Amino acid sequence: MSISDLFDNEFKQRMKGRFAAVVRVLFADGKFDPDEKKFMDKLAVKLEISNEEYDEILQNPLKYQLNPPYLYVERLESLYNIARVVHHDHHLGDKQETLLRKFAIALGFSTSNVDYIVNKALTLVDKKVDLDTFTYEMEHMNR
């Protein structure tokens, strides 16, 4: 096995893990609504998850290792990436906030201010800011 194959395999496993984490978050209430299912379908394509892998992950998302971000800046980076995907998926409409709220809580943001965090994140993503600007603005939003 070449080094590039090793990195490709590791990257693929990480993408499966991230997709499985999304499945866990969306299935936390015991069901997927049609918009969440459409979102997962599109996300699977973006993450290059095959149909077989998709079905396997839906059947057992706990099989894949979950590595939640520990550092605050890593949580912000994950929030940025998820917010961009959620915002880009315009068919979600008003459910963008609901969906992103679920992810923000799963990332470890406080439920007491998650609405403020989600609104700020979506506003910044709508302005198409880069990761550095997003991180700075989120870290300094209370000043």
Side-chain angles (χ1 to χ4, degrees):
M1 175 184 287
S2 72
I3 290 179
S4 64
D5 289 340
L6 179 64
F7 285 118
D8 286 345
N9 188 38
E10 183 179 315
F11 179 77
K12 185 73 171 166
Q13 289 302 319
R14 202 167 60 239
M15 292 303 104
K16 284 184 191 178
R18 288 184 178 169
F19 184 73
V22 168
V23 170
R24 286 185 205 180
V25 169
L26 295 179
F27 197 68
D29 58 0
K31 61 182 175 18
F32 300 117
D33 71 31
D35 289 330
E36 291 173 340
K37 181 74 166 87
K38 287 179 192 175
F39 176 76
M40 287 188 316
D41 293 345
K42 288 182 179 184
L43 184 60
V45 170
K46 288 180 185 181
L47 296 178
E48 298 180 7
I49 304 292
S50 71
N51 290 337
E52 295 80 21
E53 292 166 332
Y54 181 90
D55 292 338
E56 182 180 324
I57 291 168
L58 285 183
Q59 289 176 10
N60 187 8
L62 299 176
K63 175 181 175 184
Y64 295 89
Q65 184 176 358
L66 182 61
N67 296 314
Y70 175 73
L71 299 174
Y72 184 70
V73 71
E74 292 172 341
R75 284 189 278 152
L76 287 175
E77 183 177 345
S78 293
L79 181 65
Y80 174 73
N81 290 329
I82 293 169
R84 287 180 32 215
V85 171
V86 168
H87 184 266
H88 186 279
D89 200 350
H90 294 293
H91 86 273
L92 288 171
D94 293 338
K95 289 195 174 194
Q96 285 180 347
E97 288 183 27
T98 303
L99 194 57
L100 192 55
R101 189 175 299 112
K102 287 181 180 183
F103 289 122
I105 291 169
L107 286 170
F109 291 99
S110 170
T111 56
S112 65
N113 65 349
V114 73
D115 291 333
Y116 184 58
I117 290 169
V118 165
N119 289 333
K120 181 72 170 181
L122 287 173
T123 298
L124 291 170
V125 168
D126 190 47
K127 292 179 180 180
K128 298 182 181 0
V129 300
D130 63 11
L131 176 59
D132 291 335
T133 303
F134 181 90
T135 301
Y136 177 84
E137 291 293 327
M138 294 299 287
E139 287 177 334
H140 297 90
M141 68 182 176
N142 292 324
R143 295 182 186 178

